[in-house]
Amino acid sequence: MVPTSVRERMVWPTSSAEAAYRYSQRTSLPDLRSRPVTELPGVGRRIEVALEDLGVASLADMISHYPSRHEDLSNVKKICDLRVGEKATVVGHVVSTRPVGKPVRGRSPGFSAQLYDGTGYLPATVWGRGWLLKGLLPDVRVVVSGEVQRRYGLQLAAKSIEVIEDDLDGDAGPHAGRFVPVYPVNKGIQARRMRTLIHRVLDAAGHVLDPLPAEVLVRHGLPNLHDAIHEVHFPTDRARLKAAMLRLIFHELFLIQTGLATRKARIEITELGVRHTGDGSLLNLFMGELPFALTAAQERVIGELLADMRSEKPMRRLLQGDVGSGKTVVAVAALLTAVESGGQGAIMAPTEVLAEQHYLSVSGALADLPVNVALLTGSQGATERRATLEAIKSGEANLVIGTHALIQKGVEFDDLSLVVVDEQHRFGVGQRTLFKEKGRTKPDTLIMTATPIPRTLSLTLYGDLEISIIDELPPGRKPVETRLVSLVERHEAYHEVRRELEAGRQAYVVCPLVEESDTLEDVRAAEELHEELESEIFADRRVGLLHGRMKAKDKREVMASFRAGDIEVLVATVVVEVGVDVPNASAIVIEGAERFGLSQLHQLRGRVLRGLHPPKCFLVAGPRTEDAEQRLEALTKYQDGFKLSEVDLAIRGEGTLFGSHQSGMPDLKVAKLLRDMDVLVEARREAFALVAEDPTLKRPDHRPLRREVKDLLGADVEWLFRE
Ligand code: ADP
Ligand code: MG
């Protein structure tokens, strides 16, 4: 056993004797994960349950139950020195206590404790927390913090009051006279108890081994894990606390990046991709017929894709490009390369409307080329479906366009060599791997997303993919004039839309989102709005309706007449959110805009970005929350999807990003992606460099790291170790 005085008092810097003792007691976080909190003295059933409630089950959980903040109690004041208005900490004895305030159902709302510290008396008033009273017997030593107020003499409005049990040389121990950690607690466990337990767990843990390579730490001037953990809980001073935080942030991001890097390395080592050997004949034919010149960004990205496809490594690439940046052409270039190399290419779209649009435009653009384009969606009739499946299986169809139907049972390809997943943000992450069982070889994969995400996010969510970015819009695109319209001004917005129609243009009107998307409620709302527009506002215009509950055939007809210009105003639910492309549409009204997410609004607005006429977007919004207000404001201010995605992340907070099954990523405990971008980039660089040297982390000195990555990320991201 360590002497109590050493155990109870955190001394910084660690004395060498203590350090030597601790070092002899080496453990690692994975070890600590298998030791339950009940090992600690003072953790009985009741505390165990309370801790469980906070997500703390093992000693490792306890160690990483970091303080939410620290209170600077290093400046303990004598009662005689207190001034009105200051925040102070006082250490003294309880003289007496009495209830204060008017009792409610026999219970007082607060109490006052008279304190004495040798220099004077001071009443400390505490509201609520009546359960504290039974511990505050006369002569008990306490440490109290709060604001000094004048009320019949001085008193302390106590924010915290804690009993000091272990009277160590007149020192207040871990609870005062220093930066005192404040932990997230609940009803079952008091702040003070938590602090004592954490103090004990640090001690029980002994010396915590550092899984990160020492060189990496040295290069970045970071403290080792053991010191960082101790400093974060019981900091010596602000500077060390900061360094310790940084270390833990780096730690967290480094482990994730190491996981991503090993996953990527493993795939590259163990899986052979298709080597596309096409001679460019098809591709050149297609390019020659394009009605426009590619942007430099499109050219660059096509180059990146073709280089990947020619290599034997399986391509795993994410293509990011803002709405309207021209991702489809890029995808078609890749698909044609697959076809001319003798394989099959497939593109999966998130909605039938979009799949059909791709089908129309791609089969139109390729009409003169020797390519067989097939469409596979869920709503096709049995006969049609059987014929399509047959063509896909025999290889007769060499370019397949579809929805989720593509990855359902019974779809077999002859020789699938490239898969493009369009608008990936609409699918779960899991789906990006589902294709691979379908072909004989491992197809190359291109994932496209039109919701640009901040770089920090893509490096984390898609950190095992190569990333291509189209950072340029085709020339001549005009920014969408975006106006926020209140319900009273709604008719003015429609008046402006009318002017667009009179000039021969078309418009979308998007209905408010009632539930998720295209529930019956939504449909009813859409029908009502359609009715209103058709019979009143646009009585003399051709108004169409499109919603997700319509039969596929009807949807197709409506889209066709809108494309042909027969329908002038298309009332639609969010089915038009992604990718629909009708160049003559120059205005969009989004009703109930306050209910949509930022990226959704940006997508919707993208529908009118493509035409020749200056596009207009009206966001009709009713009463709204502050978040909604910020979202709408951001849209009127920015056109750039990347910028908007950052704003979105800032508004929503990062809590919503991870931990969901959608993302498949572990929760971030200390890192914040927007704030810690620089750390992320460094951690990623180091992690990838390390894995490049040692792809399976088999070097003896990397073993602790390997174990940690597997342990920490294995459960949450089992895909990391699945392939
Ligand atoms: P997104 O990236 O949103 O999927 P699309 O691929 O649908 O964008 O392209 C949007 C529109 O821009 C289409 O009408 C397409 O024909 C057109 N387009 C694509 N590339 C260019 C270019 N380089 N110059 C002019 N128009 C282009
Ligand atoms: Mg698109």
Side-chain angles (χ1 to χ4, degrees):
M1 271 311 272
V2 207
T4 315
S5 59
V6 174
R7 206 177 70 219
E8 290 298 336
R9 285 158 65 200
M10 299 307 308
V11 186
W12 295 95
T14 325
S15 71
S16 57
E18 194 191 339
Y21 171 78
R22 287 232 158 88
Y23 204 70
S24 70
Q25 299 272 299
R26 289 197 292 169
T27 43
S28 64
L29 285 178
D31 292 335
L32 294 170
R33 264 175 220 125
S34 59
R35 291 169 59 183
V37 282
T38 42
E39 237 187 63
L40 291 177
V43 179
R45 185 64 195 137
R46 200 175 48 80
I47 295 290
E48 186 191 359
V49 169
L51 286 173
E52 217 172 82
D53 205 42
L54 292 166
V56 175
S58 68
L59 296 191
D61 294 336
M62 189 105 182
I63 278 182
S64 49
H65 189 69
Y66 300 122
S68 47
R69 65 192 166 87
H70 290 87
E71 245 172 85
D72 187 354
L73 302 189
S74 52
N75 193 16
V76 180
K77 284 258 181 162
K78 294 286 177 221
I79 290 178
C80 66
D81 295 332
L82 293 177
R83 301 250 173 79
V84 176
E86 76 178 337
K87 294 209 166 62
T89 297
V90 168
V91 179
H93 288 98
V94 174
V95 178
S96 61
T97 57
R98 63 177 178 83
V100 294
K102 207 166 139 206
V104 180
R105 270 181 252 113
R107 289 173 72 184
S108 289
F111 63 88
S112 170
Q114 180 78 338
L115 308 179
Y116 178 69
D117 77 342
T119 74
Y121 288 89
L122 179 74
T125 311
V126 181
W127 296 104
R129 290 173 285 172
W131 35 268
L132 284 172
L133 256 178
K134 66 178 190 301
L136 299 178
L137 301 172
D139 269 353
V140 160
R141 253 178 112 234
V142 290
V143 50
V144 192
S145 310
E147 192 183 310
V148 182
Q149 299 173 339
R150 182 181 303 282
R151 190 157 301 167
Y152 320 111
L154 293 189
Q155 72 152 31
L156 196 71
K159 230 170 59 194
S160 77
I161 177 163
E162 289 180 7
V163 177
I164 304 171
E165 276 152 16
D166 9 53
D167 195 347
L168 307 159
D169 317 318
D171 169 358
H175 306 289
R178 55 159 60 250
F179 282 96
V180 173
V182 179
Y183 293 99
V185 286
N186 59 17
K187 236 182 143 174
I189 187 163
Q190 295 173 19
R192 205 191 114 75
R193 171 75 67 116
M194 185 61 113
R195 200 174 300 138
T196 307
L197 287 178
I198 293 211
H199 212 238
R200 276 188 199 145
V201 80
L202 290 179
D203 192 60
H207 186 90
V208 183
L209 275 181
D210 200 330
L212 266 53
E215 319 87 75
V216 173
L217 299 180
V218 169
R219 258 199 298 282
H220 297 278
L222 295 169
N224 69 47
L225 182 61
H226 179 86
D227 289 351
I229 288 173
H230 281 249
E231 283 288 340
V232 156
H233 286 293
F234 298 103
T236 323
D237 53 43
R238 290 238 176 255
R240 287 212 202 183
L241 172 59
K242 221 173 133 192
M245 276 308 293
L246 187 60
R247 154 69 213 232
L248 294 178
I249 292 167
F250 186 90
H251 186 93
E252 189 164 49
L253 297 171
F254 183 85
L255 291 182
I256 292 177
Q257 293 299 327
T258 306
L260 291 166
T262 50
R263 173 176 202 252
K264 184 161 181 275
R266 185 172 304 205
I267 290 170
E268 281 166 9
I269 293 165
T270 60
E271 286 183 9
L272 262 197
V274 186
R275 188 144 142 203
H276 288 93
T277 53
D279 58 1
S281 50
L282 260 186
L283 187 58
N284 291 336
L285 272 178
F286 169 68
M287 292 297 183
E289 286 181 15
L290 267 186
F292 45 73
L294 293 178
T295 63
Q298 284 170 318
E299 299 241 16
R300 174 174 38 85
V301 170
I302 290 177
E304 289 165 358
L305 293 181
L306 295 195
D308 276 6
M309 290 178 72
R310 277 188 214 110
S311 109
E312 210 153 63
K313 282 200 312 195
M315 171 166 86
R316 303 174 70 249
R317 194 170 272 279
L318 174 73
L319 171 55
Q320 282 206 68
D322 209 343
V323 184
S325 58
K327 291 183 291 294
T328 315
V329 183
V330 170
V332 170
L335 289 164
L336 288 177
T337 302
V339 172
E340 78 182 20
S341 307
Q344 283 171 302
I347 176 163
M348 179 163 86
T351 64
E352 293 206 354
V353 170
L354 190 57
E356 297 196 356
Q357 174 181 290
H358 277 328
Y359 178 71
L360 288 178
S361 62
V362 170
S363 50
L366 305 183
D368 300 335
L369 303 187
V371 181
N372 251 323
V373 188
L375 174 70
L376 187 73
T377 65
S379 66
Q380 282 163 330
T383 332
E384 195 185 348
R385 180 177 166 83
R386 206 169 315 122
T388 311
L389 288 179
E390 198 44 52
I392 296 174
K393 191 172 176 184
S394 70
E396 184 199 329
N398 37 25
L399 207 166
V400 187
I401 296 173
T403 54
H404 296 80
L406 281 178
I407 52 173
Q408 265 141 26
K409 273 214 188 73
V411 185
E412 273 177 66
F413 286 84
D414 174 43
D415 189 7
L416 181 64
S417 72
L418 173 73
V419 171
V420 179
V421 182
D422 195 13
E423 317 285 355
Q424 151 78 26
H425 59 288
R426 301 279 302 232
F427 298 109
V429 166
Q431 275 165 348
R432 74 191 195 201
T433 50
L434 281 181
F435 261 105
K436 74 168 179 281
E437 290 106 330
K438 298 289 181 191
R440 278 202 301 257
T441 42
K442 165 96 184 158
D444 282 348
T445 310
L446 173 66
I447 290 164
M448 307 203 292
T449 165
T451 300
I453 51 180
R455 201 161 107 82
T456 37
L457 248 179
S458 50
L459 291 184
T460 316
L461 284 180
Y462 301 104
D464 56 333
L465 307 181
E466 306 290 337
I467 296 181
S468 289
I469 297 180
I470 305 186
D471 48 7
E472 176 183 10
L473 293 179
R477 290 278 160 81
K478 300 166 192 75
V480 184
E481 185 196 324
T482 306
R483 284 200 357 226
L484 192 49
V485 177
S486 68
L487 292 177
V488 226
E489 302 160 327
R490 184 167 169 258
H491 276 77
E492 289 168 37
Y494 282 110
H495 188 72
E496 291 212 29
V497 171
R498 169 174 289 280
R499 275 204 246 136
E500 294 294 311
L501 302 181
E502 277 161 6
R505 268 99 74 173
Q506 291 162 278
Y508 297 94
V509 177
V510 180
C511 314
L513 201 61
V514 180
E515 290 274 312
E516 301 249 281
S517 66
D518 286 327
T519 58
L520 282 176
E521 285 284 284
D522 285 297
V523 171
R524 204 171 318 122
E527 282 168 349
E528 267 169 33
L529 184 61
H530 176 249
E531 172 67 25
E532 180 197 358
L533 294 181
E534 195 173 42
S535 62
E536 295 168 28
I537 304 178
F538 297 123
D540 54 337
R541 296 280 160 187
R542 282 152 299 164
V543 184
L545 174 63
L546 183 72
H547 61 71
R549 293 275 174 124
M550 279 161 58
K551 288 213 188 73
K553 185 169 127 293
D554 298 340
K555 271 194 249 177
R556 206 173 306 144
E557 272 168 22
V558 170
M559 274 317 289
S561 6
F562 189 57
R563 247 178 238 120
D566 296 337
I567 291 176
E568 298 175 271
V569 179
L570 182 64
V571 179
T573 53
V574 281
V575 290
V576 297
E577 181 197 336
V578 284
V580 175
D581 189 16
V582 177
N584 191 46
S586 63
I588 185 165
V589 180
I590 303 172
E591 295 268 4
E594 76 278 7
R595 306 211 194 146
F596 291 94
L598 184 43
S599 73
Q600 235 174 351
L601 291 170
H602 179 61
Q603 285 283 326
L604 287 168
R605 176 170 69 175
R607 296 313 111 229
V608 293
L609 185 72
R610 312 173 179 216
L612 302 163
H613 319 288
K616 294 191 167 77
C617 170
F618 303 94
L619 305 170
V620 182
R624 47 204 177 253
T625 61
E626 199 177 308
D627 279 9
E629 182 72 32
Q630 285 179 25
R631 284 200 295 273
L632 297 170
E633 283 292 323
L635 277 155
T636 59
K637 249 196 324 225
Y638 305 111
Q639 299 278 330
D640 176 9
F642 285 93
K643 177 71 202 169
L644 286 169
S645 70
E646 277 180 18
V647 174
D648 195 25
L649 191 53
I651 296 174
R652 283 193 300 157
E654 302 187 0
T656 52
L657 295 174
F658 295 99
S660 73
H661 288 296
Q662 263 273 321
S663 75
M665 293 300 287
D667 272 320
L668 290 176
K669 277 198 133 126
V670 285
K672 288 231 172 10
L673 287 176
L674 280 183
R675 182 194 66 193
D676 300 324
M677 174 73 186
D678 297 348
V679 187
L680 173 63
V681 170
E682 281 309 307
R684 180 177 172 83
R685 209 169 48 77
E686 290 286 1
F688 274 73
L690 183 140
V691 172
E693 295 272 303
D694 182 15
T696 53
L697 304 180
K698 64 175 184 304
R699 260 170 46 185
D701 53 327
H702 288 160
R703 230 173 264 148
L705 176 62
R706 185 190 153 77
R707 181 158 174 220
E708 189 68 19
V709 168
K710 193 163 184 170
D711 230 47
L712 202 64
L713 306 182
D716 276 336
V717 266
E718 91 287 16
W719 49 262
L720 252 166
F721 290 88
R722 195 169 51 206
E723 289 183 71

